[in-house]
Amino acid sequence: MTTTDLPSPGDLPEIAVDPAAFRHLADAQVAVELDTGDMVLNIGPQHPATHGTLRLVVRLDGERVVSADPVIGYMHRGYEKLTEFRTYPQITTLINRIDWLSSFANEVPFIAAAEHLMGIEAPPRAQYLRTILTELSRIATFVLFLGEMGLQVGAITPAFYGFRDREYVLNLIEAVTGGRFHPNFNRIGGIKDDLPWGWISECKSVMQKVLASCDEFDDLVVGNPIFQKRTRSIGIIPQELGAAYGVSGSNLRASGVDWDLRRDGPDYLVYNDLDWKVWTHPDGDSFSRYWVRLQETRESARMVLQMLEQLPSGPLMAKVPRIIKVPEGEVFVNTENPLGEMGYYVISKGATGPFRTKIRSASFSNVSLLPWLLRGVYVPDIVTILASLYFILGDIDR
Amino acid sequence: MGLVSSGKAPKPLQHLLNYSRKYSLWMLQWGLACCAIEMGAALAGPRYDVMRLGVIPFPASPRQADLIVISGTVTDKMAPAIKRLYEQMPDPKYVISMGSCANCGGPYWDSYSVTKGVDQIIPVDVYVPGCPPRPEAFIQGIVLLQQRIMSEDPAERWRGVTREPIVVG
């Protein structure tokens, strides 16, 4: 078996972990003064705060959490096994549905893995369109988060704003790809179609709307004293611990780790041509996770505006054989998805479908921190912390 | 309700009952996967707003619900929970199966962990096809269900009469 050489994935900053330093202080706080015995509270498997079908078995002492045990697998659909029975073009249909809020971003690393094994590179215009659509799906994901986080702390108004802006962005994606949710628009070697007529000016006006609504969220949610009370210094992830658990994406950046695969990873899509900034926040609490995602939404909108200005012309597809057979080899490609680092380890034996695919999805690692993170918090804070971590169940269970 | 269950209720009373049942459907949302977001857009999205059709999407418990919407992939691990909550709902109760996964397994037709269709566990009244269906399709399903509620004899459900399921589209 030949191993394909890859540029090394972006290195996480070197962080030493001392477990003794992170023994949770809450252990001491769960007092035995009033010994009432533990109560087991079963949250889920179907609960609005869990974004789907996460089940949490929580032991409570009064209103405090003694231990929390996430039970996953209610959305396990067997992707890794199914990929062994599908061809490469068919698999993009499946992996759209792993993280269903940002489907287009899921396709990118898998297609990149196949392209890398075949030695094909997509033409520049296709790369630009991919980047635009990835960033649009990031905006669609985050805008929903910005609204839904408000909903989870008891303010129902932001949810309507979130869904309103998401519809604008979904309209754009639908105009290009024909699908609101699951575009299935990437092809090995390029992209299926060009932009429709008038799309660019439409997209520019929508990005202005998104930027304006980010200001609205700033006023409505971030500046709200009740929201701040509910989220500040709640659910703090120390950066060493977050890195040790494999937490990635905005959750890690909210803990102060300046690490973004779009900038630090292997060169992918066209992020190097753009002028943009990686946002971090030193606190690591629920509030900073909201704040970082708000800034990233703005940054994505600015990136889309930049790309629309410098969109190159040219072909959309590289030369690709009619029947796609991927040469023998193995490759790991990871990219920065809205929820965090997503990677595909593809082993090919030269057939029309992969021999084995390992999917590294962000939410699985993000949620693995929950037993640690939820220990010692109050019951209402469980909802806040779950909402601020922002996971998708399809992304956890696959 | 002896009058209704015996099937001897006068026509105007039946009409009144159906009319009020039709416009106060308390809906238990069983959002599972991608379709749950489209269902959410139909419920909370200002563009669709399903509440104008008299569907109230937030019952506190299945014991207060008239309608359950299964939206998304039903896995074998999830199936017992769905059956249990369905059985907790009071009669007459309706089921909307939303999306290809809940209808028949969808893209996971050969997966080892997916239940191929929620109709294997509970009886389905309306099938909404699509992967995922647009919110408009879901609203169409609700409208068709309301038409059926309006036309049915309230007692027939208690007598165990079953009708052909509705397929949207």
Side-chain angles (χ1 to χ4, degrees), chain A residues 254-297:
Chain A
S255 298
V257 181
D258 191 10
W259 182 63
D260 191 320
L261 277 171
R262 286 177 285 175
R263 185 194 62 192
D264 305 328
D267 197 14
Y268 87 101
L269 298 183
V270 296
Y271 290 110
N272 286 348
D273 301 358
L274 306 174
D275 174 30
W276 61 290
K277 180 178 183 308
V278 177
W279 289 87
T280 58
H281 194 286
D283 287 357
D285 53 5
S286 299
F287 178 82
S288 59
R289 290 192 276 279
Y290 189 92
W291 187 86
V292 164
R293 288 206 178 91
L294 180 62
Q295 304 306 329
E296 285 182 357
T297 315

Side-chain angles (χ1 to χ4, degrees), chain A residues 99-286:
Chain A
D99 164 13
W100 48 70
L101 283 183
S102 55
S103 308
F104 191 87
N106 292 343
E107 297 173 12
V108 171
F110 182 79
I111 293 288
E115 282 177 354
H116 192 91
L117 283 173
M118 294 176 75
I120 298 175
E121 196 172 348
R125 188 173 172 88
Q127 298 274 17
Y128 263 85
L129 292 189
R130 277 180 189 175
T131 321
I132 290 174
L133 285 166
T134 307
E135 290 308 314
L136 282 182
S137 62
R138 190 185 307 274
I139 294 171
T141 310
F142 282 175
V143 152
L144 193 62
F145 164 80
L146 297 175
E148 195 157 320
M149 177 88 181
L151 183 67
Q152 307 288 5
V153 299
I156 201 167
T157 316
F160 299 124
Y161 284 79
F163 269 109
R164 179 198 65 185
D165 299 333
R166 188 177 155 80
E167 287 295 331
Y168 294 142
V169 181
L170 286 185
N171 266 5
L172 287 180
I173 296 177
E174 190 184 4
V176 185
T177 65
R180 274 162 62 87
F181 259 57
H182 301 312
N184 196 18
F185 199 58
N186 267 308
R187 298 288 181 268
I188 292 174
I191 208 156
K192 183 171 169 282
D193 264 330
D194 211 336
L195 300 175
W197 187 83
W199 191 83
I200 290 179
S201 59
E202 171 86 26
C203 186
K204 277 180 187 163
S205 73
V206 169
M207 287 306 111
Q208 296 301 339
K209 277 183 196 162
V210 168
L211 286 173
S213 75
C214 281
D215 295 341
E216 264 174 11
F217 280 117
D218 227 339
D219 293 342
L220 194 69
V221 184
V222 175
N224 186 326
I226 303 173
F227 180 79
Q228 296 216 6
K229 276 251 160 76
R230 285 290 305 272
T231 52
R232 282 235 191 231
S233 70
I234 302 282
I236 297 177
I237 304 178
Q239 54 174 291
E240 293 86 350
L241 197 88
Y245 269 95
V247 174
S248 54
S250 319
N251 291 331
L252 194 60
R253 284 194 286 279
S255 298
V257 181
D258 191 10
W259 182 63
D260 191 320
L261 277 171
R262 286 177 285 175
R263 185 194 62 192
D264 305 328
D267 197 14
Y268 87 101
L269 298 183
V270 296
Y271 290 110
N272 286 348
D273 301 358
L274 306 174
D275 174 30
W276 61 290
K277 180 178 183 308
V278 177
W279 289 87
T280 58
H281 194 286
D283 287 357
D285 53 5
S286 299

Side-chain angles (χ1 to χ4, degrees), chain A residues 45-46 51-53 71-79 81-82 85-86 93-94 97-98 100-101 144 156 159-161 163-164 166-168 170-171 174 180-182 392-393, chain B residues 29-35 37-38 40-48 58 72-75 77-78 81 85 101 107-114 131-136:
Chain A
Q46 220 289 322
H51 301 285
T53 56
V71 182
I72 63 169
Y74 285 96
M75 199 29 64
H76 177 65
R77 307 190 269 195
Y79 282 109
K81 194 69 192 167
L82 287 180
F85 299 98
R86 304 276 202 273
T93 320
L94 278 183
R97 288 154 176 82
I98 292 179
W100 48 70
L101 283 183
L144 193 62
I156 201 167
F160 299 124
Y161 284 79
F163 269 109
R164 179 198 65 185
R166 188 177 155 80
E167 287 295 331
Y168 294 142
L170 286 185
N171 266 5
E174 190 184 4
R180 274 162 62 87
F181 259 57
H182 301 312
I392 296 294
L393 261 290
Chain B
Q29 348 169 5
W30 199 283
L32 291 165
C34 333
C35 300
I37 310 294
E38 289 291 57
L43 302 179
R47 183 176 291 178
Y48 304 106
F58 306 108
T73 319
V74 182
T75 55
K77 191 170 178 177
M78 197 52 157
L85 261 73
C101 295
Y108 315 100
W109 57 275
D110 54 349
S111 170
Y112 55 84
S113 57
V114 172
C131 190
R134 298 178 64 92
E136 290 96 329

